[in-house]
Amino acid sequence: MSAGELPCYTLIHVPSDAELPSETQLKEKFEKGGDKERTEALKKLIYMILNGEKTSQSMLMYVIRFCLPSNDHTLKKTLLIFWECVPKTDSNGKLLHEMILVCDAYRKDLQHPNEFVRGSTLRFLCKLREPELLEPLMPAIRACLEHRHSYVRRNAVCAIFTIYKNFEFLIPDAPELVTEYLETEQDASCKRNAFMMLLHVDQARALDYLSGCIDQVGSFGDILQLVIVELIYKVCHSNPNECSRFIRCVYNLLQSQSPAVRYEAAGTLVTLTNAPAAVKAAASAYIELIVKESDNNVKLIVLDRLVALSNTSSNEKVLQGLVMDILRVLTSPGLEVRKKTLNLALDLVSSRNVEDMVMFLKKEINKTSNESNDENGKYRQELVKTLHTATLKFPDVASTIVPVLMEFLSDTNEIAAQYVIQFVREAVHKLPNLKSAILASLREGIPAIQTPNIFMSALWVLATFCDAEGSLEVLRLIKNSLGDLPIVDSELAEQEEPKAEEVEQKKVPSGPKVTADGTYATQTALSTTVVSKKNVKPPLRRFLLNGEFFLGAALATVLTKLAQKFTELNGEGTERSNRFRAECMLILASIIHLAKSGLISHQVNEDDLDRMGAVIKILAQGIPGLDEQYGDDCKKSLEMMLSAKSISRLDAADKLTSSGSARSKDFVEIDKTINFTQLLAKNNQQGENLYDSSLSQALGTAQKDTKFDFSSSKLGKVIQLAGFSDPIYAEAYVNVNQYDIVLDVLIVNQTADTLQNVSLELATVGDLKLVDKPTPVTLAPNDFSNIKATVKVASTENGVIFSTISYDVRGSTSDRNCVYLQDIKIDIMDYIVPGNITDIEFRQMWSDFEWENKVNVMTPIRDLREFLNHLSTSTNMKVLTGDAAIEGECGFLAANLCAHSIFGEDALANVSVEKALPMDDSSPIVGHIRIRAKSQGMCLTLGDKLSSAMRSRRDGQPIAAPSA
């Protein structure tokens, strides 16, 4: 058996600076040292064996002579590790003669009066794979089942279990022996080990035992209850007819005191039956676990189980009645837990309980309004978003939700206010019966708005959706928000006037005074206080004085809409219409005067001035056909945008469904085979065994999900490391898992000599860490071997692995030979998946991220959409800008992209490109790509990837420039 095939149970860290002594020094310490020195020497010997150092046969005898007789517990424990690591057979596979002495020492330790020594030895025997060593020890192992101490008994059961599983001929009556032992045992841990053994080797006996004590399962310890749940699951999974026999037991275990037992029992219950009562009981158990468990990671895991439970249509109907119970999870402090809970409640809510849900969320909003930390602000955004979606899903409750959301217009958290104004825009458009109530609430709340963007959006909604009679009222609202006109004159007059002061007078009584004739008198003093009168400016005027002149350009559009509606009502050319237009022109002229007056330090954008000037001209002279552009066409554009958003939401839901994480179970292919339970063979297992699948995932042997496999072929991951003329040819298959990289290196001896101590030396650059040192091998002439090495990955950065192969030639007296191998470059794309965020979240993250990388566009591609799609597919970044926004040919293109890494990092990109000559299809594309990320490494690495992607196709070949 080669070194790579030897069983390994203990991982020992060998310090890189450890100084390993010579054999002579070790022998001297074993012979003349005390127990402490012998323990240290034994540890150094273990390090040498693990590093592949060759030790003489006499070293084994020194350990047997001087270490085995010791009664020191630390030395005995270290000896057990040594016997696990040391080779016990010779080159022919026969047991070494010295191991007979070791076997006798094992037997004495199994009869040792100290329970720790006995138990440790029994645990060590579980790791032995030599039946010749185990056979003489079987009577002593059996005797340990009757030891007074539970530590010895439970390890004796484990030893019998592993020996029976590996070498059944050594103890053929193990199931009967353990069954008899289980009937009399009282200790919970011993009963658990014994029942676990019967579960794996003789399920019939385990079921017989469980049937005899099924009414007492609730009083068992949690470790035994967990094994009972596993047994019931496996038995019922292989034989569904047994479900009715044990399902009551699983029901009872839902009331266990242990959270782990309740979690496993709930998962087992819903896999055994789809009865509504069972689904409701399991879901209630999950909810109780989430509410009472303090660890957020546990909450998220159990929430995922609850979400998976709701993915089936039959279960969804049952869970709809538990929406209010699910909302109890919102008491948890974690934002991720709250977000997932709100999404789940939103999916399950129905018309019967949506009003209760809205009232609960209103209370949550009131709780968050008292605190202003960042976590509460984000939670408030999620609450507003949930109420927004609930209103569109159930329009009947909109009248209840609108007053609650309107309070957020004055919130200092701009993102929450943006969600509200988007809700108002969509609700006014889609719910005409609530239009008047929403607009009235908006008019009342607009003076309290704190942010200019929200203020302007609210004015736009009022101007777009108000009727002709209400246009005059909106104009009055705008004038009140601006204050006295013209703005410049009123500001200068205010600065020249002395500040008004109020004098507040109040009498301050003092204590009693003694007059000249000896009588008492009371004296009062008049106190005057000068109080400055603070001048609070209206909101729109305050925004303009702060330099927000884009509001003026947007206000020009609003005034044009109002003037158009007022003219339609009163007729064109009438005195009232002309007066209305004159008021609008005065407002815009006053804003332009303020921008050019130098009264404020901010520079105005020329585009804003041009826009306001053009609107003044439109208001004065009028342009035929422009009224339709500002009126009906504007509403049609809004309707198209809202439709595109709803379609994108449906597409995202469809992708989620097709990925298997949503309601894929509800969609059945028309030609799918129907399975009849009554006609299935008893040994036919339905579905996937959850215990086996979770174990394979933990071991890394589970089949990888296709969404994480970005390579179209495994051959694309094979890298040639050495040349065909080198003495040793090498190539590596790079298998990238989520957090580690497995290098499977094939080495071929191309010489006629035997190569000894062929070692693969690895060194890494970047956030890569070598886990273990590959074991040296020996290659016969023209022989080959595979060497595996694991590298851990810590962040999303390009990494490089350098490697060399060193070897000795048998019979040669020359120095050690070395072959330098090709560098292995780790691609960042193996850790990046497409991201999906909203436009508001994109803007927030764009302003928060510290690192930016600007990449100039240089590509032979001539089509803008083709270039964008090529960037998206080459970098695994999702295009966030909708197709409706980038369709058509206009000579330029701007789009946002997003990606997430498996390490929790986000990367954003903004593509701004145009044709050098818009009318010429063959003209090159010019522009730039800006990348922002939280870490410098990801920002730079993604920039390099984009640069290389612009110059090559997806298959890595250069793009041929089109002929002129």
Side-chain angles (χ1 to χ4, degrees):
M1 186 182 290
S2 65
E5 297 172 344
L6 289 174
C8 174
Y9 301 95
T10 305
L11 297 177
I12 300 175
H13 171 66
V14 181
S16 57
D17 57 347
E19 297 181 2
L20 300 180
S22 63
E23 286 195 14
T24 306
Q25 293 173 329
L26 287 176
K27 289 179 180 179
E28 184 178 354
K29 287 187 178 182
F30 284 142
E31 186 174 0
K32 299 180 180 179
D35 287 338
K36 191 173 182 180
E37 289 78 10
R38 288 171 180 167
T39 303
E40 291 299 321
L42 194 58
K43 288 181 181 179
K44 296 291 178 62
L45 183 57
I46 292 173
Y47 290 158
M48 293 172 64
I49 294 174
L50 291 178
N51 279 338
E53 300 287 342
K54 301 294 183 182
T55 56
S56 62
Q57 201 68 26
S58 60
M59 184 61 70
L60 189 60
M61 283 306 301
Y62 267 80
V63 174
I64 294 173
R65 286 175 57 197
F66 300 108
C67 295
L68 268 184
S70 174
N71 288 321
D72 183 69
H73 289 184
T74 305
L75 183 56
K76 281 185 174 293
K77 187 70 175 177
T78 312
L79 269 174
L80 295 179
I81 300 174
F82 171 75
W83 295 127
E84 181 184 337
C85 302
V86 72
K88 304 172 189 65
T89 56
D90 56 17
S91 57
N92 298 323
K94 292 184 178 181
L95 195 69
L96 296 174
H97 297 295
E98 291 85 353
M99 297 308 295
I100 299 175
L101 301 174
V102 178
C103 182
D104 185 61
Y106 292 157
R107 185 181 56 78
K108 291 179 180 178
D109 284 343
L110 288 176
Q111 298 170 351
H112 199 281
N114 185 279
E115 61 272 6
F116 171 77
V117 175
R118 281 202 190 196
S120 300
T121 307
L122 287 166
R123 291 186 64 172
F124 163 71
L125 295 180
C126 297
K127 307 173 185 180
L128 281 184
R129 289 295 178 269
E130 290 78 21
E132 300 91 341
L133 287 175
L134 292 170
E135 187 173 9
L137 305 176
M138 295 312 301
I141 295 175
R142 285 172 175 266
C144 287
L145 283 175
E146 302 175 1
H147 194 271
R148 59 180 178 80
H149 205 284
S150 60
Y151 178 72
V152 178
R153 296 198 303 273
R154 67 168 175 260
N155 283 298
V157 174
C158 290
I160 291 174
F161 176 26
T162 53
I163 293 171
Y164 179 79
K165 188 168 61 173
N166 297 321
F167 313 106
E168 185 178 347
F169 62 90
L170 292 178
I171 182 168
D173 61 336
E176 295 87 347
L177 180 65
V178 172
T179 303
E180 295 174 2
Y181 166 77
L182 187 59
E183 296 289 345
T184 59
E185 181 58 56
Q186 298 298 321
D187 184 76
S189 60
C190 298
K191 292 173 72 174
R192 179 256 182 197
N193 288 0
F195 194 81
M196 176 68 78
M197 174 182 168
L198 293 180
L199 165 64
H200 289 281
V201 301
D202 195 340
Q203 284 190 3
R205 292 180 183 273
L207 287 175
D208 292 340
Y209 173 78
L210 180 59
S211 301
C213 59
I214 197 166
D215 296 331
Q216 307 167 13
V217 168
S219 61
F220 290 166
D222 55 349
I223 54 177
L224 182 56
Q225 288 177 343
L226 284 172
V227 184
I228 290 174
V229 171
E230 182 180 354
L231 171 68
I232 293 174
Y233 176 83
K234 289 187 175 181
V235 169
C236 296
H237 189 267
S238 59
N239 187 5
N241 296 328
E242 296 282 350
C243 288
S244 58
R245 181 181 173 189
F246 296 107
I247 199 165
R248 176 56 57 187
C249 178
V250 180
Y251 263 110
N252 294 335
L253 289 176
L254 289 177
Q255 310 301 323
S256 173
Q257 298 297 321
S258 169
V261 174
R262 296 202 300 273
Y263 174 77
E264 293 294 342
T268 300
L269 185 61
V270 295
T271 56
L272 299 184
T273 177
N274 291 325
V279 174
K280 186 175 181 180
S284 300
Y286 281 146
I287 294 170
E288 287 297 323
L289 283 173
I290 300 170
V291 172
K292 293 181 178 179
E293 187 59 43
S294 59
D295 190 350
N296 273 350
N297 293 321
V298 176
K299 290 177 183 286
L300 290 172
I301 292 171
V302 183
L303 261 176
D304 287 336
R305 281 294 186 97
L306 204 55
V307 171
L309 193 62
S310 67
N311 288 336
T312 308
S313 57
S314 58
N315 294 345
E316 184 181 12
K317 295 176 183 178
V318 178
L319 294 177
Q320 284 178 353
L322 298 174
V323 169
M324 298 309 297
D325 292 331
I326 292 173
L327 289 175
R328 290 165 51 204
V329 182
L330 293 178
T331 56
S332 304
L335 181 63
E336 286 299 320
V337 176
R338 287 172 165 175
K339 287 173 66 175
K340 191 168 285 192
T341 303
L342 287 173
N343 292 334
L344 177 60
L346 196 57
D347 289 339
L348 295 176
V349 70
S350 62
S351 56
R352 291 176 299 175
N353 50 20
V354 64
E355 292 187 3
D356 295 334
M357 173 179 163
V358 169
M359 295 301 296
F360 185 89
L361 295 182
K362 285 171 65 175
K363 293 178 181 177
E364 287 295 311
I365 288 176
N366 293 332
K367 290 179 185 177
T368 60
S369 61
N370 299 328
E371 301 178 16
S372 59
N373 57 1
D374 186 52
E375 189 83 6
N376 261 340
K378 292 180 179 178
Y379 179 41
R380 214 158 42 236
Q381 296 168 23
E382 295 299 324
L383 290 172
V384 171
K385 194 191 302 184
T386 304
L387 288 173
H388 176 191
T389 311
T391 307
L392 300 178
K393 192 175 179 181
F394 303 99
D396 297 338
V397 298
S399 57
T400 309
I401 297 177
V402 167
V404 181
L405 292 182
M406 284 300 176
E407 297 176 3
F408 278 91
L409 284 176
S410 58
D411 199 301
T412 54
N413 189 332
E414 186 174 353
I415 297 179
Q418 282 178 341
Y419 281 126
V420 174
I421 204 65
Q422 288 179 4
F423 156 74
V424 169
R425 182 185 63 188
E426 197 165 352
V428 170
H429 180 73
K430 292 185 176 181
L431 306 173
N433 57 322
L434 294 175
K435 174 181 171 182
S436 57
I438 294 176
L439 292 181
S441 299
L442 191 58
R443 283 194 294 268
E444 292 176 2
I446 202 170
I449 295 177
Q450 304 293 324
T451 52
N453 293 334
I454 306 303
F455 188 90
M456 205 62 251
S457 299
L459 278 182
W460 185 91
V461 171
L462 285 174
T464 304
F465 292 101
C466 72
D467 51 15
E469 291 85 356
S471 56
L472 186 60
E473 189 175 350
V474 177
L475 181 64
R476 289 197 189 101
L477 182 63
I478 294 173
K479 291 177 67 176
N480 292 335
S481 300
L482 275 173
D484 296 335
L485 294 177
I487 300 176
V488 175
D489 296 343
S490 59
E491 285 293 317
L492 292 175
E494 185 178 340
Q495 292 177 6
E496 291 174 358
E497 290 180 2
K499 294 183 179 179
E501 294 179 348
E502 291 183 354
V503 178
E504 183 180 345
Q505 298 182 356
K506 54 184 179 180
K507 294 181 178 181
V508 181
S510 62
K513 301 292 181 180
V514 181
T515 59
D517 58 355
T519 60
Y520 289 97
T522 303
Q523 179 182 2
T524 59
L526 184 65
S527 173
T528 61
T529 306
V530 178
V531 181
S532 63
K533 191 175 183 180
K534 190 177 181 182
N535 189 10
V536 180
K537 298 183 184 299
L540 186 53
R541 189 188 194 97
R542 185 172 69 251
F543 297 146
L544 291 171
L545 291 174
N546 290 334
E548 300 283 350
F549 283 105
F550 178 72
L551 269 69
L555 183 62
T557 303
V558 169
L559 293 175
T560 308
K561 290 176 181 287
L562 296 175
Q564 173 208 342
K565 291 185 178 183
F566 194 81
T567 303
E568 288 178 359
L569 178 65
N570 295 278
E572 188 173 353
T574 62
E575 182 182 355
R576 292 195 67 192
S577 300
N578 291 339
R579 190 181 304 155
F580 191 96
R581 288 176 178 268
E583 292 279 357
C584 297
M585 293 163 60
L586 174 62
I587 292 172
L588 294 178
S590 179
I591 295 175
I592 294 174
H593 186 200
L594 174 65
K596 294 183 175 181
S597 65
L599 192 62
I600 57 177
S601 58
H602 296 82
Q603 292 292 329
V604 64
N605 193 336
E606 291 295 330
D607 293 338
D608 297 337
L609 289 177
D610 292 344
R611 178 67 175 234
M612 289 184 283
V615 169
I616 290 177
K617 187 175 182 181
I618 293 172
L619 291 172
Q621 301 177 1
I623 297 179
L626 196 63
D627 293 345
E628 296 181 358
Q629 299 292 329
Y630 276 98
D632 296 337
D633 289 351
C634 181
K635 291 185 179 180
K636 289 178 183 177
S637 299
L638 175 62
E639 186 173 358
M640 290 173 59
M641 185 191 73
L642 295 178
S643 301
K645 282 192 173 184
S646 59
I647 290 173
S648 64
R649 283 197 292 263
L650 290 175
D651 290 343
D654 290 341
K655 289 178 182 178
L656 187 65
T657 301
S658 61
S659 67
S661 58
R663 294 172 175 79
S664 56
K665 297 177 183 177
D666 295 346
F667 301 96
V668 181
E669 296 294 335
I670 193 170
D671 57 347
K672 184 176 180 180
T673 306
I674 300 176
N675 290 329
F676 293 95
T677 307
Q678 291 81 358
L679 302 179
L680 289 173
K682 288 187 177 182
N683 59 353
N684 183 22
Q685 295 187 355
Q686 299 183 22
E688 186 181 18
N689 190 315
L690 294 179
Y691 286 92
D692 293 342
S693 62
S694 61
L695 179 61
S696 60
Q697 288 175 5
L699 296 175
T701 57
Q703 187 175 1
K704 187 182 282 188
D705 196 344
T706 55
K707 69 179 180 180
F708 292 111
D709 190 8
F710 301 115
S711 60
S712 58
S713 170
K714 287 187 176 181
L715 294 177
K717 297 289 186 179
V718 175
I719 302 172
Q720 182 177 343
L721 302 179
F724 293 110
S725 60
D726 288 323
I728 296 179
Y729 172 77
E731 63 182 25
Y733 169 62
V734 183
N735 183 20
V736 178
N737 294 319
Q738 280 200 358
Y739 296 104
D740 58 359
I741 302 168
V742 178
L743 300 178
D744 189 354
V745 183
L746 170 68
I747 56 174
V748 181
N749 180 7
Q750 300 192 114
T751 67
D753 299 321
T754 299
L755 305 183
Q756 296 178 323
N757 294 328
V758 181
S759 303
L760 177 66
E761 305 288 342
L762 299 173
T764 60
V765 173
D767 277 348
L768 304 175
K769 182 180 179 182
L770 185 63
V771 176
D772 51 1
K773 182 180 178 182
T775 306
V777 297
T778 299
L779 292 178
N782 300 318
D783 193 9
F784 66 91
S785 179
N786 284 76
I787 299 177
K788 290 188 177 182
T790 304
V791 178
K792 287 290 180 184
V793 187
S795 68
T796 314
E797 291 186 24
N798 281 338
V800 182
I801 301 175
F802 303 101
S803 54
T804 59
I805 293 179
S806 56
Y807 62 93
D808 295 325
V809 180
R810 177 178 289 179
S812 174
T813 58
S814 61
D815 294 334
R816 192 165 173 82
N817 301 285
C818 187
V819 177
Y820 293 93
L821 305 180
Q822 175 71 25
D823 302 339
I824 302 174
K825 294 181 173 60
I826 306 303
D827 193 359
I828 186 180
M829 291 301 101
D830 292 317
Y831 309 107
I832 286 183
V833 294
N836 188 15
I837 57 176
T838 63
D839 293 340
I840 297 175
E841 292 171 341
F842 182 91
R843 287 193 287 270
Q844 183 66 33
M845 293 165 65
W846 187 268
S847 61
D848 291 343
F849 287 168
E850 303 171 356
W851 296 96
E852 178 174 320
N853 188 7
K854 186 174 181 180
V855 181
N856 292 324
V857 174
M858 295 180 62
T859 177
I861 300 177
R862 296 295 183 255
D863 184 74
L864 294 174
R865 290 296 299 274
E866 181 187 350
F867 174 69
L868 179 63
N869 293 334
H870 173 67
L871 287 182
S872 176
T873 53
S874 301
T875 59
N876 291 330
M877 298 189 81
K878 181 181 178 181
V879 180
L880 301 177
T881 308
D883 292 335
I886 55 179
E887 66 182 1
E889 297 294 335
C890 56
F892 70 91
L893 185 146
N896 296 329
L897 297 92
C898 176
H900 302 308
S901 76
I902 62 174
F903 305 101
E905 299 170 315
D906 296 309
L908 308 177
N910 174 258
V911 179
S912 300
V913 291
E914 62 180 346
K915 302 281 284 185
L917 299 173
M919 305 304 294
D920 186 4
D921 292 338
S922 62
S923 64
I925 296 175
V926 295
H928 58 266
I929 303 171
R930 295 167 64 194
I931 306 159
R932 286 200 180 184
K934 202 167 187 178
S935 62
Q936 181 185 20
M938 186 165 185
C939 195
L940 295 175
T941 305
L942 199 56
D944 296 338
K945 185 64 182 178
L946 282 170
S947 299
S948 62
M950 284 190 287
R951 297 189 296 268
S952 63
R953 294 197 302 264
R954 195 177 184 186
D955 55 6
Q957 300 298 323
I959 299 177
S963 57

